[in-house]
């Protein structure tokens, strides 16, 4: 109550921010006349003056009114577009590192130019992030003349671009690209072995277009760079035969072998299902008679079985994926776009490939990964813009510390949003949809039909064909015609069927978008120049009449064939109508069979439906029902937020480690004094070995000098007579032995360096250490994946899984760094330097020897007294997780018991 009173007296936080920004708008408007009087040269000279003032210590905030006024005037001259006052406010919101919520058609692309220009003056680079390559290229091409006029360079990052061109693009003042490309470049930069191969600069300021799509919808899927891992592809084909032989349960506790939990997107095997699966796998020869799927040896079979069940039960063609050029390509559930190059992990993609009978590609091993949440939090300043952020404002604030500011429209919104109509069956719903489309088409009103899946868009298309209604379909299969289809969607009587309209980036202009249609005519090589000119002239002449006709019949009509899980996606579809004060309308058609209602709103809505019991084809239309459906959507949004938050909480642990590894990697990559880094490493490793075999403050009887000498000789090729030293001087302690050992090692090491020179040996040291870091980091990522997959089971032991994960991950990371130091030092200390003469002599010796095959030649690992074979021969049992008996302090599996 007090909050409501305070809001009435002082206004909301949003209102107060808008009032503050309005003060700057007044200052910018006051400068407009002065800017108009400047010549082109005078306007261009302002950029250099601003840069000098920044170098002299003035802040970007102080420059804002003048910089915005310059940018506005330049846009008027170069692009023929003048920023509205609300667009100036949008620019200020972006500059402040906030999210600007602006309705569709309010000119977000132009808004970004203000904040981008101002921040690019600092010379640290500005990234403009879009959802696809088409928009990145289009925006860069459209706005480059403006930025170039103002003395700023523009680069664009697209997929499959050469590293040299990427470096050029990142070195530009302003860089356009997709979220995927920016993220992958960051990961690739932290895998290079030469600092000159890096493409990105420091991450300074990013403006994210369609910020909700990128930071919310895509946040559940981490970016992963992977390499092929060895895997049995045949096993996926064999396992694909099992699901059809198992019976799906109708109810959770009903008869059958497995239950599909569509809400949680999981498949659960019943007790009977386990037994049935074991019988099938035994018949196939994958399981021994009487063996269990739960035994340790069969854990991979269980993994493959669950992947096959999920592929058959939860992932459907033309909804979750399409088949393109003989490959399974994932469809983004939020934008309806194809995600080329993306693959599901944990064997799921291979299971789907087996199900559809396409070529199965090998399983991948993670080489580097990061979530979008953690990537975008690396920027010094982050801002975003979208038409629909308010429903996710809490998540933006809590995860990214981004405040959402709702910016008023330039003109009042005229669109009418009608109540949802709900039918008993999907068949009745689609009949009503076609009827509504037909009515609009007859009176010349353009219609945009929104569907949630490709499958549904094709179903609607077939129904329209049957009804004899001409239409365009825009889904992932037709994305190459996207701009043209959307440009025509506002023409009189036009019917457009589209999957989710997030980030389409092209306005639907009532009467048709002449500019886009003219570009298509100009690109048609079959037409003569005269014919092109005539067609464009006809287009321009007819547009005014078409525009007025569409305005008179009520503007663009939006039809939603289903409610999406997120209210935001529905709002994006609605937002396509009623741009810049145009008339428009929207209505959603639902059925009791829709997944959202069936899974999340079934009880309440089912009760209302039964009470009202309409006849076939008669819809229920009531505000209370629309509110119930929105409540169901809120439930799903809350659940999805929890999932994303959980992904982030686990990735935060990996992120802290990633920062340390990448920092150390960069130190080594950029380090000019490799000798110092290598010396510190070997001193720590050798010191640690001495401490293990001669613990400080311990009795002489507790020392194991023989083991110390053996390890030094076996791993480091250091012949040190420690026992001789102790015999000659019985007063020697732990520190004395360390000192003598390190002096001997440093002396021998220096001799090697002298042979080849410090520069050459420094490069070798760099490569050895980087290789050790990369190899062990890859193994660590795989181990973290396995740990995370099973950590929830700790909950059954009354332990907090997240705390357990953090504890174990920390221990694993400590071992990782010890292993890196140990491996690097062992290789660098034991390496032999040979001159060309020595190599030639060695080769001659080999050629002069008789050629016989030695079948039992022992390798280095087998010569070690701590190899599995040597320990077994000595009757000693050392388990993989036990400390290594060599005394390195590492687990046996990470030291002498390491699998080769």
């Amino acid at each position: 109550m007090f909050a409501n009173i305070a809001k009435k007296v002082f206004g909301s936080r949003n209102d107060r921010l808008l009032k503050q920004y309005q003060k700057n708008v007044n200052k910018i408007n006051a400068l407009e006349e002065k800017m108009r009087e400047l010549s082109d040269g005078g306007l261009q000279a302002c950029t250099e003056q601003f840069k000098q003032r920044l170098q002299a210590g003035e802040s970007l905030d102080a420059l804002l009114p003048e910089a915005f006024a310059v940018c506005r005037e330049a846009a008027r001259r170069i692009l023929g577009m003048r920023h509205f006052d609300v667009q100036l406010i949008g620019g200020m919101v972006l500059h402040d590192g906030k999210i600007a919520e602006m309705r569709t058609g309010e000119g977000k692309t132009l808004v970004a130019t203000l904040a981008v220009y101002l921040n690019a003056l600092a010379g640290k680079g500005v990234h403009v992030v879009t959802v696809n390559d088409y928009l990145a290229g289009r925006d860069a091409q459209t706005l480059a003349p403006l930025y170039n006029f103002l003395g700023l360079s523009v680069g664009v990052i697209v997929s499959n671009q050469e590293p040299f061109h990427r470096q050029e693009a990142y070195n530009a003042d302003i860089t356009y690209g997709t979220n995927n490309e920016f993220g992958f470049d960051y990961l690739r930069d932290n895998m290079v072995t030469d600092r000159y191969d890096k493409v990105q600069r420091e991450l300074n300021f990013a403006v994210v277009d369609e910020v909700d799509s990128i930071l919310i919808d895509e946040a559940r899927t981490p970016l992963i760079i992977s390499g092929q891992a060895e895997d049995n592809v045949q096993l996926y084909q064999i396992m694909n035969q099992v699901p059809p032989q198992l019976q799906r349960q109708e109810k959770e506790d009903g008869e059958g072998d497995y239950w599909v939990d569509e809400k949680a997107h999981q498949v659960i095997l019943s007790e009977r299902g386990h037994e049935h699966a074991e019988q099938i796998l035994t018949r196939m020869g994958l399981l021994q008679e009487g063996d269990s799927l739960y035994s340790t040896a069969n854990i991979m079979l269980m993994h493959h079985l669950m992947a096959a069940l999920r592929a058959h039960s939860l992932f459907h063609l033309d909804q979750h994926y399409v088949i393109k050029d003989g490959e399974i390509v994932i469809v983004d559930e939020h934008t309806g776009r194809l995600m080329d190059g993306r693959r599901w992990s944990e064997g799921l993609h291979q299971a789907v490939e087996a199900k559809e009978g396409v070529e199965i590609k090998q399983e991948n091993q993670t080489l580097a990964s990061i979530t979008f949440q953690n990537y975008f939090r690396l920027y010094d300043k982050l801002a975003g813009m979208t038409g629909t952020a308010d429903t996710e404002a809490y998540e933006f604030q809590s995860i990214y510390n981004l405040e959402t500011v709702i910016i008023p429209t330039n003109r009042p919104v005229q669109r009418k949003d009608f109540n949802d109509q709900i039918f008993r069956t999907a068949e009745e719903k689609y009949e009503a949809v076609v009827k509504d489309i037909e009515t609009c088409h007859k009176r010349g009103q353009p219609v945009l039909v929104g569907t949630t899946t490709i499958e549904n868009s094709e179903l609607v298309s077939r129904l329209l064909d049957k009804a004899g209604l001409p239409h365009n379909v825009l889904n992932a299969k037709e994305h190459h015609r996207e701009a043209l289809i959307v440009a025509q969607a506002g023409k009189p009587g036009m019917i457009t069927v589209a999957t989710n309209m997030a980030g389409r980036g092209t306005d639907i202009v009532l009467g048709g978008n002449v500019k886009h249609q003219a570009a298509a005519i100009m690109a048609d090589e079959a037409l003569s120049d005269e014919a092109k000119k005539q067609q464009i002239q006809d287009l321009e002449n007819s547009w005014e009449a078409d525009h007025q006709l569409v305005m008179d019949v009520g503007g663009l009509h939006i039809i939603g064939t289903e409610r999406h899980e997120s209210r935001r996606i529905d709002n994006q579809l609605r937002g396509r109508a009623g741009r810049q004060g145009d008339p428009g309308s929207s209505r959603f058609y639902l059925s009791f069979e829709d997944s959202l209602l069936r899974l999340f709103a079934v009880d309440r809505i089912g009760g209302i439906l039964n009470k009202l019991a309409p006849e076939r084809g008669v819809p229920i239309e009531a505000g209370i029902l629309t509110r119930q459906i929105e409540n169901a959507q809120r439930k799903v949004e809350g659940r999805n937020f929890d999932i994303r938050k959980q992904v982030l909480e686990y990735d935060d642990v990996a992120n802290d480690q990633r920062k340390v590894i990448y920092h150390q990697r960069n130190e080594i990559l950029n380090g000019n004094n490799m000798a110092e880094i290598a010396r510190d490493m070997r001193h720590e490793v050798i010191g640690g070995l001495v401490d293990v075999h001669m613990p400080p403050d311990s009795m002489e009887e507790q020392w194991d000098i023989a083991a110390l000498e053996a390890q030094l000789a076996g791993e480091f090729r250091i012949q040190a007579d420690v026992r001789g030293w102790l015999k000659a001087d019985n007063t020697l302690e732990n520190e004395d032995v360390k000192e003598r050992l390190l002096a001997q090692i440093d002396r021998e090491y220096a001799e090697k360096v002298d042979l080849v020179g410090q520069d050459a040996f420094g490069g070798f040291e760099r490569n050895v250490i980087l290789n050790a870091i990369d190899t062990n980091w890859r193994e660590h990522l795989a181990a973290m994946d396995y740990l995370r997959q099973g950590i929830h089971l700790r909950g059954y032991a009354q332990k907090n899984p997240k705390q357990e994960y953090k504890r174990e991950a920390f221990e694993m990371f400590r071992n990782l760094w010890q292993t890196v130091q140990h491996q690097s030092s062992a290789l660098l200390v034991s390496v032999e330097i040979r001159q060309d003469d020595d190599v030639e002599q060695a080769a001659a010796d080999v050629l002069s020897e008789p050629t016989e095959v030695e079948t039992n030649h022992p390798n280095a690992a087998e010569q070690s007294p701590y190899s599995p074979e040597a320990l077994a021969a000595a009757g000693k049992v050392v388990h993989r997780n036990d400390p290594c008996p060599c005394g390195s302090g590492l687990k046996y599996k990470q030291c002498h018991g390491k699998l080769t």
Side-chain angles (χ1 to χ4, degrees), residues 152-168:
L152 299 175
S153 54
V154 179
V156 62
I157 303 289
V158 291
S159 49
N160 303 320
Q161 198 174 21
E162 290 296 318
F164 170 72
H165 295 303
R166 282 179 185 268
Q167 278 179 335
E168 272 190 337

Side-chain angles (χ1 to χ4, degrees), residues 296-532:
T296 313
N298 299 323
I299 199 77
M300 283 310 290
L301 279 181
M302 188 68 188
H303 174 78
H304 279 73
L305 173 62
M306 295 312 292
L309 276 170
R310 290 185 74 211
H312 278 263
S313 310
L314 292 169
F315 291 83
H316 307 297
L317 181 67
D318 286 345
Q319 183 175 344
H320 300 100
Y321 61 90
V322 296
I323 298 173
K324 179 184 165 192
D325 302 329
E327 290 188 8
I328 299 294
V329 182
I330 300 171
V331 175
D332 187 321
E333 62 175 307
H334 299 286
T335 63
R337 295 179 182 280
L338 293 184
M339 300 164 81
D340 286 303
R342 289 273 193 104
R343 290 176 68 82
W344 288 304
S345 57
E346 297 171 24
L348 178 62
H349 210 98
Q350 286 81 356
V352 173
E353 286 168 334
K355 171 186 150 188
E356 295 296 346
V358 301
E359 185 197 347
I360 301 172
K361 299 211 170 128
Q362 283 190 318
E363 182 67 273
N364 288 332
Q365 176 191 1
T366 301
L367 306 181
S369 78
I370 193 168
T371 58
F372 281 123
Q373 290 116 315
N374 277 320
Y375 172 70
F376 281 108
R377 293 196 299 188
L378 293 170
Y379 281 89
D380 292 338
K381 185 163 77 173
L382 180 65
M385 50 190 185
T386 179
T388 46
D390 194 38
T391 54
E392 315 292 347
Y394 174 73
E395 183 164 353
F396 282 126
Q397 187 70 60
S398 58
I399 303 287
Y400 302 98
N401 199 26
L402 284 171
E403 186 176 6
T404 301
V405 180
I406 301 166
I407 294 164
T409 53
N410 185 45
R411 293 176 183 162
V413 177
Q414 303 287 342
R415 190 185 67 237
K416 292 175 188 169
D417 295 327
F418 296 110
N419 279 333
D420 299 353
Q421 287 196 348
I422 303 171
F423 296 82
R424 276 196 171 279
T425 65
E427 190 185 348
E428 294 170 62
K429 173 182 79 173
Y430 285 116
E431 280 174 13
V433 166
V434 172
K435 206 171 179 181
D436 193 357
I437 295 169
E438 203 166 11
T439 307
C440 293
H441 183 67
K442 276 179 185 168
R443 65 169 177 261
Q445 185 172 15
V447 181
L448 175 66
V449 186
T451 64
T452 54
T453 64
I454 297 170
E455 189 180 26
N456 286 350
S457 69
E458 291 178 344
L459 168 64
V460 172
S461 178
R462 286 195 299 273
L463 292 171
L464 292 173
D465 283 337
K466 198 174 170 184
L469 293 166
H471 61 280
N472 281 323
V473 178
L474 175 54
N475 59 31
K477 293 180 178 178
E478 298 284 342
H479 67 98
H480 55 284
R481 294 177 56 225
E482 179 176 308
L484 193 60
I485 291 173
V486 176
Q488 293 178 327
K491 291 181 82 173
M494 185 60 72
I495 302 167
T496 309
V497 182
T499 48
N500 308 337
M501 290 295 293
R504 293 288 173 197
T506 309
D507 278 338
I508 297 175
V509 179
L510 301 188
N513 192 322
V514 174
K515 195 164 70 173
H516 272 83
Q517 290 171 268
I521 291 167
M522 291 303 291
D524 190 347
E525 291 174 6
L527 295 172
S528 67
D529 288 349
E530 194 56 46
K532 287 176 183 177

Side-chain angles (χ1 to χ4, degrees), residues 845-879:
D845 292 346
V846 168
L847 290 170
S848 64
E849 286 177 6
T851 56
E852 66 177 59
V853 178
E854 295 185 25
T855 52
N856 294 314
H857 186 73
N859 62 29
E862 288 169 337
Q863 290 171 342
S864 163
Y866 306 112
S867 71
E869 294 80 3
L871 289 170
K876 294 178 182 175
V877 177
V878 180
H879 297 292

Side-chain angles (χ1 to χ4, degrees), residues 131 200 396 418 474 541 555 560 652 673 685 712 762 836 858:
V131 289
Q200 279 187 350
F396 282 126
F418 296 110
L474 175 54
N541 293 342
D652 276 345
N673 196 355
V685 170
L712 287 168
D836 289 345

Side-chain angles (χ1 to χ4, degrees), residues 177-195:
T178 65
N179 47 325
N180 288 340
E181 292 304 317
F182 284 124
F184 281 132
D185 282 337
Y186 170 75
L187 291 176
R188 282 190 285 259
D189 274 0
N190 285 288
M191 293 170 72
V192 298
T193 52
D194 189 319
R195 61 182 167 175

Side-chain angles (χ1 to χ4, degrees), residues 537-567:
Q537 187 61 54
D538 292 345
L539 262 180
E540 288 171 350
N541 293 342
S542 63
W543 182 82
E544 195 63 54
D546 287 349
H547 177 70
Q548 195 54 51
L549 171 64
V550 174
M551 294 281 281
D552 293 343
V553 293
L556 180 68
H557 181 51
I558 303 287
I559 293 177
T561 59
E562 199 173 329
R563 284 279 198 162
H564 196 274
E565 285 185 356
S566 167
R567 288 169 295 159

